[in-house]
Amino acid sequence: MLKPKVLVVMKFIPEIAIDLLRERFEVKILCDPPQGSRAEIIEKIAGKFGIFCSPENKIDEELIKTAGPSLKVVGTISAGYDHVDLTAMKKYGIRLGNTSDASTESVAETTVGLLIATTRRFFEANHAVKTGEWKDVTLGWMCGRGIRNSVIGIVGCGNIGTSIAKKLKAFEISQLLYTSRTEKPAVNALGGKFVTIDELVEQSDFIILSIALNEDTKFIINKERIAKMKSHAVLVNIGRGGLIDQDALIEALQENRIGGAGLDVMTPEPLPLDSPLMKMDNVVLLPHIGSASIETRTEIAILTAKNIIAVLDNTAMSTEVQF
């Protein structure tokens, strides 16, 4: 009997995950470019049972129709799934698996590191060392703001936001504010206060975005809310670039109306080299590496493979998106 077929549209997937798939499927891997071009995916998707993809791959009705009735599952190697057309998935009866829990701790770790690097000016200071700017040090040279005794605001307190809150609580902050779809008992137990998004941006010294991107959250940080922030506020985004009106953020940073920004996600990705964000000392940019620990990337690859296999076996996925 012929094995059903799976299309893997990512390069450098850990072999342990590919081996799991090969036990049950005929596996086709698109290697060039690393995420598979749109044209190549469209060309190769016909007749496939499943697709193993990343947020760089748009899963829309065109692709689903091209795949044909054999397509039963999409496995995305990410917690977010804003790249997937859920309406089309539901229309054609296709199941979606994500990796919602597997990356929690690594993303939370990245968030804390990005916050510290931004507010304490680590990248700017490192540049000073390498370019010879480090000479006579005055009392105020390279000073940033500390986290201790600050007000932290977290937008989105799912698993990742809650983990961030737990980690930052250890810094002896003065207040923890958060906004989410509902109150979170685990965050309340840390002393967190459930507030509106506008209250949060007005009162926080550090604002962290860890919320999913959808039609309701797109540009949740817009020009009006940026205008409400404290003049020294630092904005950290580890969710999706579309959560922020990037043009409004650039304008505020250029005019020094807020203290700075630490961005692991932006619009578009990769960010063009001529973006104004590239030229700013008060911005720290990372190339979407929130989950980039060896352990986590291996775990989420295995989880994605197991999600696809679960659909073949007509069983529950470990992490299935309900729609």
Side-chain angles (χ1 to χ4, degrees):
M1 178 181 286
L2 294 175
K3 291 180 178 180
K5 300 176 182 179
V6 165
L7 185 65
V8 177
V9 295
M10 293 187 69
K11 196 176 181 181
F12 307 125
I13 298 298
E15 277 301 314
I16 188 171
I18 297 299
D19 289 344
L20 281 172
L21 289 173
R22 283 182 173 142
E23 289 177 5
R24 307 294 301 279
F25 299 98
E26 179 184 327
V27 179
K28 171 66 177 176
I29 303 174
L30 301 186
C31 294
D32 190 24
Q35 283 80 37
S37 70
R38 171 74 177 183
E40 190 177 12
I41 294 170
I42 290 291
E43 179 186 348
K44 304 293 186 182
I45 192 64
K48 301 299 187 291
F49 178 89
I51 181 169
F52 184 123
C53 68
S54 75
E56 285 72 28
N57 308 118
K58 186 177 181 181
I59 309 299
D60 56 11
E61 187 164 10
E62 178 193 16
L63 185 145
I64 291 169
K65 289 174 69 175
T66 303
S70 65
L71 187 66
K72 302 300 181 185
V73 57
V74 172
T76 182
I77 194 165
S78 61
Y81 45 87
D82 49 286
H83 57 297
V84 181
D85 184 339
L86 298 185
T87 301
M89 294 281 285
K90 184 174 182 179
K91 177 180 177 181
Y92 293 95
I94 300 166
R95 293 168 66 183
L96 173 62
N98 70 343
T99 58
S100 57
D101 298 331
S103 61
T104 295
E105 292 307 309
S106 57
V107 175
E109 289 171 1
T110 299
T111 306
V112 175
L114 182 54
L115 173 58
I116 294 171
T118 305
T119 188
R120 294 294 301 276
R121 303 169 66 182
F122 281 2
F123 281 64
E124 191 180 351
N126 178 262
H127 180 75
V129 172
K130 292 182 176 181
T131 58
E133 183 185 342
W134 183 26
K135 293 184 173 66
D136 296 329
V137 178
T138 62
L139 199 61
W141 190 66
M142 285 295 167
C143 284
R145 285 184 173 269
I147 298 173
R148 185 170 179 264
N149 294 326
S150 68
V151 178
I152 300 285
I154 301 177
V155 181
C157 269
N159 292 334
I160 293 173
T162 300
S163 181
I164 293 168
K166 290 177 180 177
K167 289 171 172 55
L168 289 176
K169 185 69 176 177
F171 284 77
E172 299 180 7
I173 61 176
S174 68
Q175 192 172 20
L176 173 63
L177 307 178
Y178 76 97
T179 184
S180 199
R181 284 179 295 181
T182 59
E183 284 200 54
K184 304 294 183 179
V187 184
N188 291 342
L190 297 170
K193 182 180 179 182
F194 184 59
V195 296
T196 67
I197 179 66
D198 291 302
E199 289 173 321
L200 186 146
V201 298
E202 288 175 351
Q203 298 175 33
S204 299
D205 299 301
F206 301 104
I207 300 163
I208 298 167
L209 304 184
S210 60
I211 196 169
L213 176 63
N214 53 47
E215 288 303 315
D216 294 328
T217 61
K218 183 178 181 180
F219 287 5
I220 193 168
I221 299 299
N222 52 29
K223 187 172 185 177
E224 291 73 23
R225 288 189 173 130
I226 291 172
K228 294 178 179 180
M229 293 180 186
K230 296 178 179 180
S231 61
H232 62 261
V234 170
L235 177 64
V236 173
N237 187 8
I238 51 87
R240 288 288 185 268
L243 296 170
I244 299 175
D245 181 340
Q246 195 162 283
D247 290 338
L249 175 63
I250 289 170
E251 182 180 305
L253 290 166
Q254 287 174 330
E255 297 174 0
N256 292 312
R257 287 190 275 113
I258 64 172
L263 308 175
D264 185 44
V265 289
M266 53 220 71
T267 306
E269 294 180 359
L271 189 69
L273 295 178
D274 61 355
S275 169
L277 289 171
M278 294 286 196
K279 304 174 178 65
M280 297 181 184
D281 290 334
N282 56 349
V283 177
V284 173
L285 301 172
L286 298 179
H288 203 149
I289 59 167
S291 65
S293 73
I294 294 169
E295 298 85 359
T296 296
R297 289 288 171 88
T298 300
E299 183 181 353
I300 63 178
I302 292 171
L303 178 56
T304 302
K306 287 183 174 179
N307 280 341
I308 293 172
I309 292 168
V311 176
L312 181 65
D313 292 337
N314 196 29
T315 58
M317 296 185 197
S318 296
T319 51
E320 182 164 0
V321 178
Q322 303 294 333
F323 47 83

